[in-house]
Amino acid sequence: MREAFHEQLETVFADLAAICREVENAVHYATESLMTGDAAVAEAVISADAQIDRAAERVEDRAFAILALQQPVAGDLRTVVAALRMVSELERMGDLSVHVAKIARLRVPYLAVPEDARPSMMRMAQVAQDLVARATRVIADRDVDAAAEMEKMDDEMDQLRRTSLTELLSAEWDHGVEPAVDIALLGRYYERIADHAVSVAQRVMYVVTGQQPQATTEP
């Protein structure tokens, strides 16, 4: 009986890792649409979010069924509760990728990111995608060391965000208000994706060690 129960928990974590891989794809293709102005790619990201949402709902249903039928305690209860919180984080990351794709689609046939702002924005996108990919591995392998390393990468994202805002407010910014608003929003979206990825990793650390994660994310 207990073996079947733990198999259910493993299935939940395997599903979480699969959702995280889908989110990684969403971040990648949202960024591609942003940098190329490809409306079809942007539309694909927006449409694919429904698949992430459905997968998240299935994980939630399975986790609630475990709570109701198995009444887990101690470490097992910690695992189920963490999984429910993680699936919410992953779903939000998918939504943020859609926000990026919608800005890209809105500016077609033009590009939302001016040429001189592209390097810093591209780096933010790369850091965000890398953190999501690492979160996938952390979930799949319960890798506490890899989870701890992700916090250092999040520091780089915070610095990139500050640099981007400084550029927007500088006297040299000559692209007008609309691109400035786009850049500010995009930077916020990538920053939040990174924060959620780190939070997911921290929750895995909580499952493994029992140590409560720090509060790092906002709605």
Side-chain angles (χ1 to χ4, degrees):
M1 185 69 177
R2 297 300 296 173
E3 182 178 346
F5 170 57
H6 284 103
E7 286 179 359
Q8 289 178 314
L9 290 180
E10 287 300 316
T11 298
V12 166
F13 265 73
D15 289 344
L16 287 170
I19 294 171
C20 203
R21 281 190 288 271
E22 290 186 33
V23 171
E24 182 186 352
N25 286 334
V27 176
H28 171 78
Y29 287 111
T31 301
E32 180 179 319
S33 70
L34 184 68
M35 295 300 169
T36 64
D38 192 323
V41 174
E43 290 289 354
V45 173
I46 295 165
S47 298
D49 189 56
Q51 181 176 332
I52 293 175
D53 291 343
R54 287 192 296 269
E57 288 174 6
R58 288 193 296 270
V59 170
E60 288 178 347
D61 289 345
R62 187 174 291 116
F64 282 124
I66 291 173
L67 286 174
L69 300 175
Q70 302 291 347
Q71 298 181 342
V73 297
D76 292 336
L77 177 60
R78 184 169 72 227
T79 300
V80 177
V81 170
L84 283 168
R85 291 177 175 172
M86 289 160 63
V87 75
S88 178
E89 306 256 20
L90 293 171
E91 190 172 14
R92 184 61 184 142
M93 290 154 69
D95 292 341
L96 289 161
S97 301
V98 167
H99 293 338
V100 172
K102 285 183 175 179
I103 287 181
R105 184 182 64 179
L106 181 65
R107 301 307 173 203
V108 172
Y110 304 104
L111 298 180
V113 183
E115 186 66 31
D116 53 356
R118 288 168 67 86
S120 59
M121 185 58 61
M122 191 64 199
R123 181 56 189 161
M124 292 181 78
Q126 289 170 343
V127 171
Q129 184 177 337
D130 195 5
L131 281 167
V132 177
R134 288 169 184 258
T136 301
R137 294 193 292 272
V138 167
I139 295 170
D141 301 335
R142 313 290 205 282
D143 191 334
V144 173
D145 292 335
E149 284 295 316
M150 288 174 62
E151 296 184 15
K152 298 177 182 178
M153 292 185 64
D154 194 43
D155 291 340
E156 180 184 357
M157 176 63 84
D158 292 340
Q159 181 58 52
L160 286 165
R161 172 75 168 147
R162 287 191 292 270
T163 300
S164 177
L165 290 174
T166 299
E167 291 173 354
L168 294 180
L169 296 172
S170 72
E172 286 74 27
W173 181 264
D174 58 0
H175 301 291
V177 174
E178 192 173 83
V181 171
D182 286 344
I183 295 295
L185 287 173
L186 289 165
R188 180 61 171 166
Y189 298 152
Y190 283 123
E191 181 186 39
R192 299 310 301 152
I193 289 170
D195 286 344
H196 282 294
V198 170
S199 183
V200 165
Q202 289 176 336
R203 296 193 191 284
V204 173
M205 293 176 68
Y206 172 58
V207 167
V208 175
T209 68
Q211 181 179 354
Q212 282 280 2
Q214 298 177 356
T216 59
T217 59
E218 303 169 9

